[in-house]
Amino acid sequence: MPVTLVKERFPSKVGEVILGATSEQGGTRTSTVVVGGDNLLPFLHFEGKVVNRPVIAMEVTDIVPPWNEAIKAQFGDVLDNPAAWAQKCVNEFGADLIYLKLIGADPEGFNRSPEDCARVVKEVLAAVGVPLVVVGCENAEKDNEVLAAVAEAGAGENLLLGLAEQDNYKSITAAAMVHKHNVIARSPLDINICKQLNILINEMGLPLNRIVIDPMIGGLGFGIEYAYSIMERARLGALANDKMLSMPMICTVGYEANRSKEANASAEEFPGWGDLAQRGVLWETLTATALLQAGASILLMRNPEAVKLVQRNIADLVDAEVGA
Amino acid sequence: MAACQVKFMPESRTIEVEEGTSLVKAASQAGIYIKSGCGAKGSCGACRVIVLSGEPEVRGTGKLTPEDIARGVRLSCQTFVHGDVTVEVPPESRLQEHQVLMEDVQKGGLLQETEQDLLDKFSLHPLATKVRVKLSEPTLTENASDWARLQLELRRILAAGVKGVDIPLSVLQTLPEALRQAQWDVAVTLTEGEDKYTVVRVEKGNDRPPYGLAIDIGTTTVVVYLVDLSNGRVIDKQGTYNKQAKFGDDVISRIVYAVDAPGNLQEIQRAVIDTINGLTEQILSRQKLEPADLGAAVVAGNTTMTQLFLGVDPRYVRLEPYIPTMNGVPPLKAQEIGLKMVSEGLVHCFPSVASYVGGDIVSGTMVTDMANGEEIVLFIDIGTNGEIVLGNQDWLVSCACSAGPCFEGGGILFGMRAMPGAIERVYIDPDSLDVSFKVIGRILPVGICGSGLVDALAKLREAGIIDRAGNFQMEHPSHSERLRLTPDDKEFVLAWAHQAGGDKDVVITENDVKNLIRAKGAIYAGIRSLLTMVAVDVDMISRIVIAGGFGNYLNVHDSVEIGLLPDVPAERYEFIGNSSVKGARLALLSQNAWHEAAELGKKMTYIELSVGTTFMDEFVSALFLPHTDLSLFPSVVS
Amino acid sequence: MGLTGLEIYKQLPKKNCGECGTPTCLAFAMALAAGKGALDSCPYVSDAARDALASASAPPIKSIKFGNGSVLGDETVLFRHDKTFYHPTTVLVQVSDTLNDTDLVAKVEQINDLEFDRVGLHYGVDGIAVLEESGDPTRFAQAVKVVADHTEKSLLLLSDNVAALQAAAPAVAAKKPLLGNAAEGNYEAVVALAKELALPVILKANGLDALNDLVEKAQALGYKEFVLDPGSRKPVETLANLTQLRRLAIKKKYRPFGYPVVAFTSKNEPMDEIAEASIYVTKYASAIVLKADEKGFLLPLLTLRANIYTDPQKPIQVEPTLHSVGDVNPESPVYVTTNFSLTYYSVEGEVEASKIPSYILPIDTDGTSVLTAYAAGKYEPEKIADALLNSGVADKVGHKNVIIPGYVAVISGKLQEKSGWKVIVGPRESSGIVSFARSLSNG
């Protein structure tokens, strides 16, 4: 006897955000990336259409990063050259976007000037054709200067800029409005604060389709479940036509997964935890695949091996024939 | 120990205290009450005084600035007498007589207190009665005892039926002389219980009515009504600060103090009884009555206030799982507790529901009459705690949310209670940011009360001075001087010093705004949580009844605009002021009402909001103007 | 969805007698609605009400127990934020009966060792699935025996051949294994065997329609200890099936699908297989059968399972241990706050913004904010003094100054006395920390 399936008819969908701009659109990208747009829960083909697949942005930093050797080794000798590094991510590892972190701007570190940072962005833009996600050094005051310079330098490129936070959202929002970029709105593990921030940014005049939500995830084993549930709630909210939660979500998978001991400690140190080569890669992979199930649209990833696994996981979920 | 002279200015009142006495204690002995928000720990800075002469010992200066200290400012709780001193107690450090301003009715589309009397419904049948008895003189043949003769006659007059009529020993001891001096024509005051009447006073025959006291013990203020028990009329009322305030502002600090050292519980119990007795004395002297004229009293207070009033250790009220010692207590004799009444008179305390929903709420719930109809009613008492009751004749649920004392003026830089000098309405011109305001008592403003704060928050937002999260927008296009940055905070000037009653500009700071948002958020989150837990939609509520002491009126429009109250048509709202004392009056006048209160206490289901994440989630959601979910406030957004 | 408290309340006697231990009938009804307490504690409930409430409160997904404490099903929600997920996905690793006994024992021992200790938790693989691939019932029985003799873990005996199950199951019935598969062609015999031995059994069919028919027929045999396998072996289909089965059971209370579901992975490469399994852990598999059998593969998956199955009703908390912000040194200030994440992270954010490397010690307040914790007596000077002592912060800094939240200024005296630390009263709100910290370091 045929079973009547439960197919949800959602009144709305996740908002679409377009990243990057081709020459016709006033930029220099060879392709653009569109995220969001789905009117279904993740990958449930029986109730709608997966319009835009989730994408992976690979992390590139403007200074040589203090990552573990297992990851660094995969990049060879490009880690001190952001442009070459970005090229490798796109050409060899199939990154959909480049996630450029301007850590060198940190006043406590290299304290690079906004102009230097803007130059790095231009170099990377010149080196690759994919759209860019650019964030600062997480020093609010400095980032306001750096991102203003980046926004100007990248005018027309339709960048995704971060981070706007509840205490510091105005200057980056203004920069994005002037130079027509998109903004990452980050809120710490709370769906209400997330929504409040979107309202504040939107009330400044930035359209909703230029905002991407960063729910500030925890990595696997370190609070991923909070982000998981907040993202599920946000996705359900978006589908239920809550415009202030309807933005696509971006997750700092590589950073959060790889800051854990589990992703770095050798089997000699922790014999009970098994081989690091497997464990480390899977730590980042599962952080990503779990959040894909909660509705992530942009995964910010680091380890090429994990990227490969997640690309295959996405392909399995997106490209398959309609199930059930 | 040496005795030292302490002179208080500007009263020029001098008293003698023992060496080592703190200034706050000395002042209290002199009848001058100084504020304390921290329980004399030296941390809140509310008790500052100015030492004019003498060298008292200073054990702590808390948050006083070097400038303050240089000009003689001291914390009176941290300053101890060693030799003669002269001290000025500035007005802002004084606990002042609280004014019951219910008669000062405002006009202009604002919701005023309703004065609906439920007494007709309950029928007059007071907790104490008085009868005139004329006995014939005893003779050798009619030789029944004094009491037997009085009792027989009382039974007849009262139509006591199966109920007994009792006389306690202390009244019996006065009986022979009382009867004879009155030449057998006496007025007898009796209290009435479940199964018997008790004679509490025998006096010379007169037709004056019996009186009783309706008492509301609030954490902040205590209000006493003198009620004529023969007709239900409120003869007089008086309110003042709860003298327990010197042990801390909120129930938690009172509990902490009460259990901190032996003797403290008795001291804090004494403080509230002194407060009540002080009010009673003022009323009695005005009305030319004496304590013995008061036959019964009904007390309504939150659970902690009730336990402290009774001298019952309150510590477990505070600690998880928040268990009160008792819900109801049998009536007690005035002499047991030390109230200024006829000593055998009965004191009834409203039963509590749970640690954070007390007899004051049971009393208020009775006043709303919500438990006697099918329509669903929401009752909100906005005080130091926000208590919320929802239900109808079939069910009642209640909860408490810690809103903090903002709406009573606490935790706000220029916050004050609704008394003369308090700004109670605010208008801000959105272009120039010029301010006009209305002050209680039509005098120069010295601060702002709860209803003024609700107003101010709404107007700050309307004028674009704050964003929806309460952040000050310093780059406001008006470039008004009123919007300014100080080393401590961002602030907005409501009244310049030259327009104000003190020597400072009256301001509202960003921190004040955030405190207000938290307070209104807690109340709204409590409402939403309660509705969620019983799966009732706000549209199913027929009436929303608000009680509380934050002002003389409720500005529904502004309350909705800031997200304090649900966005439903204004006509569903009702404001009943101090519902706790009103319920106490009803219970005093009607045995039926008293029984209903007892039933209500048992029927009400308490919901602990600290269990689970619903409340916290709702709370964070409500920390926005008016709310994160703007669809809950369609009239504000549109 | 179950009945609400008010709906249940309507069926109760409304006596408010308190004999059930809760003060009012409504409180009792709300406890029942929340799945706490039993209707039997009410001495006055009518039989009619009892029947009405029992059927309404029956769990939407049957609880199936097998092996060594494994529990499947008994879930009540589609999303963990709606309440919680109760019974973590049972993870089984498969072994084949084609291995010889020596290899089999070695493999079983390897699986036995798939146990982990991390962040104070202990977790591991729950069971072993013995696959009949030899085509020989005797061999299968022998292999099952060998596995059973060498493990304490739960067992799943998996064969499409009734004879093999009949040969293997009776000898290990005392270990209460899960049997599989009962399918269209053999279900009568397999269910009969399961019923005879009182063992739960997997009903396997290809697709939901066929599964529905099979469940109806199998139930007609008078047995209900079932686990469902909708037969799909492609991730996207398995996800769809798991979702539909859960939705039908919970949203529609569709009884034929009111059983737990087992998922099988399709990937052979272990890293890909684990990524695939992560889909089923998050989306509704009550059990998963895996091929991967090494620690480096299993720890990430079991960690995800532990995360997804934590109770989201508990407030988000941070570890109540000493945290450091920035490059701390012996002059670094020491802040105390609570372990409620929102409180902690607002403090941490501001301390970070102050650019003064600092220590932060969150006190365990069961995840409540400063004021709530203080109100409830969870922020007492004694407790903070102990936490300071146990944190070891005294060895890390060269001073004895501790900064407390302004809201609890009242405890400063006592804390100073109990801890021996000089107490500095900080700002009430975290937003005041930056200017406070700067004035502190300048003064």
Side-chain angles (χ1 to χ4, degrees), chain A residues 240-272:
Chain A
N241 202 24
D242 185 338
K243 291 293 174 213
M244 294 301 163
L245 279 178
S246 66
M247 303 77 179
M249 292 178 280
I250 191 168
C251 299
T252 49
V253 169
Y255 172 75
E256 291 296 337
N258 286 294
R259 61 194 280 210
S260 68
K261 194 189 277 172
E262 287 80 351
N264 293 289
S266 68
E268 289 71 48
E269 266 180 274
F270 284 88

Side-chain angles (χ1 to χ4, degrees), chain B residues 158-371:
Chain B
L158 294 165
V162 293
K163 276 197 181 179
V165 180
D166 249 2
I167 186 163
L169 179 61
S170 70
V171 184
L172 201 52
Q173 286 165 341
T174 68
L175 186 63
E177 285 309 312
L179 287 175
R180 286 169 182 81
Q181 280 177 11
Q183 295 170 338
W184 309 97
D185 173 6
V186 290
V188 180
T189 308
L190 303 102
T191 56
E192 183 179 350
E194 290 287 317
D195 54 352
K196 65 175 186 200
Y197 291 93
T198 305
V199 175
V200 298
R201 185 187 190 196
V202 180
E203 60 184 307
K204 190 168 179 325
N206 67 63
D207 293 315
R208 277 183 286 126
Y211 294 96
L213 297 177
I215 303 167
D216 165 41
I217 306 179
T219 309
T220 309
T221 52
V222 177
V223 174
V224 172
Y225 281 14
L226 174 72
V227 183
D228 179 338
L229 300 182
S230 70
N231 59 15
R233 228 158 49 78
V234 178
I235 305 294
D236 201 349
K237 39 182 138 178
Q238 185 76 32
T240 188
Y241 287 94
N242 188 335
K243 285 188 188 169
Q244 289 177 341
K246 61 177 173 247
F247 309 111
D249 276 343
D250 50 42
V251 293
I252 300 303
S253 30
R254 307 275 172 88
I255 296 173
V256 169
Y257 182 82
V259 302
D260 196 40
N264 284 11
L265 179 59
Q266 288 70 27
E267 187 186 359
I268 201 165
Q269 180 191 20
R270 199 67 250 158
V272 68
I273 288 168
D274 284 350
T275 311
I276 298 169
N277 285 342
L279 293 169
T280 308
E281 277 174 20
Q282 290 179 44
I283 292 175
L284 290 177
S285 82
R286 270 203 298 267
Q287 301 302 325
K288 309 213 172 358
L289 295 173
E290 50 184 295
D293 292 322
L294 302 171
V298 174
V299 174
N302 66 44
T303 307
T304 303
M305 287 303 113
T306 305
Q307 293 211 186
L308 291 177
F309 171 72
L310 296 170
V312 177
D313 186 333
R315 79 180 76 203
Y316 302 103
V317 167
R318 175 188 174 212
L319 301 178
E320 199 175 288
Y322 319 112
I323 302 301
T325 306
M326 72 286 164
N327 294 111
V329 284
L332 27 123
K333 291 184 178 180
Q335 65 190 11
E336 287 177 73
I337 203 89
L339 284 194
K340 277 212 189 322
M341 290 169 50
V342 65
S343 63
E344 294 287 344
L346 289 187
V347 180
H348 293 67
C349 294
F350 266 96
S352 306
V353 175
S355 277
Y356 289 103
V357 173
D360 51 345
I361 299 306
V362 173
S363 176
T365 303
M366 185 170 75
V367 175
T368 66
D369 204 26
M370 60 195 286

Side-chain angles (χ1 to χ4, degrees), chain B residues 310-536:
Chain B
L310 296 170
V312 177
D313 186 333
R315 79 180 76 203
Y316 302 103
V317 167
R318 175 188 174 212
L319 301 178
E320 199 175 288
Y322 319 112
I323 302 301
T325 306
M326 72 286 164
N327 294 111
V329 284
L332 27 123
K333 291 184 178 180
Q335 65 190 11
E336 287 177 73
I337 203 89
L339 284 194
K340 277 212 189 322
M341 290 169 50
V342 65
S343 63
E344 294 287 344
L346 289 187
V347 180
H348 293 67
C349 294
F350 266 96
S352 306
V353 175
S355 277
Y356 289 103
V357 173
D360 51 345
I361 299 306
V362 173
S363 176
T365 303
M366 185 170 75
V367 175
T368 66
D369 204 26
M370 60 195 286
N372 295 304
E374 277 181 24
E375 54 172 32
I376 297 177
V377 176
L378 178 67
F379 168 49
I380 308 165
D381 190 346
I382 300 172
T384 314
N385 250 349
E387 289 105 342
I388 303 164
V389 185
L390 177 74
N392 62 7
Q393 61 193 13
D394 297 322
W395 53 272
L396 287 171
V397 290
S398 60
C399 70
C401 44
S402 177
C406 281
F407 293 117
E408 295 176 320
I412 302 292
L413 193 58
F414 279 86
M416 63 186 288
R417 282 127 196 165
M419 53 199 259
I423 296 176
E424 59 171 352
R425 297 219 67 189
V426 176
Y427 312 86
I428 301 173
D429 183 288
D431 299 322
S432 66
L433 301 194
D434 284 346
V435 182
S436 46
F437 46 76
K438 187 164 183 306
V439 180
I440 298 178
R442 294 177 178 78
I443 58 175
L444 291 176
V446 288
I448 179 163
C449 70
S451 45
L453 287 164
V454 169
D455 238 21
L457 194 56
K459 296 335 193 260
L460 287 172
R461 170 73 198 131
E462 276 170 24
I465 298 165
I466 54 175
D467 68 8
R468 289 190 190 280
N471 298 310
F472 270 54
Q473 307 294 296
M474 301 312 285
E475 60 278 21
H476 192 276
S478 67
H479 303 292
S480 167
E481 288 180 335
R482 289 179 181 267
L483 190 56
R484 65 191 185 191
L485 190 65
T486 71
D488 296 324
D489 209 345
K490 295 164 191 162
E491 62 187 32
F492 180 75
V493 179
L494 293 170
W496 298 107
H498 65 82
Q499 310 171 304
D503 55 357
K504 288 185 212 150
D505 298 337
V506 176
V507 302
I508 183 163
T509 67
E510 188 174 79
N511 191 43
D512 293 341
V513 166
K514 302 258 164 151
N515 278 339
L516 282 166
I517 291 178
R518 263 190 296 275
K520 74 97 191 168
I523 301 224
Y524 190 78
I527 298 170
R528 290 278 298 170
S529 304
L530 201 58
L531 291 174
T532 305
M533 289 193 199
V534 290
V536 165

Side-chain angles (χ1 to χ4, degrees), chain A residues 131-150:
Chain A
L132 255 58
V133 183
V134 185
V135 303
C137 59
E138 301 206 17
N139 173 307
E141 281 170 40
K142 183 67 181 280
D143 281 354
N144 287 343
E145 298 172 34
V146 167
L147 291 168
V150 168

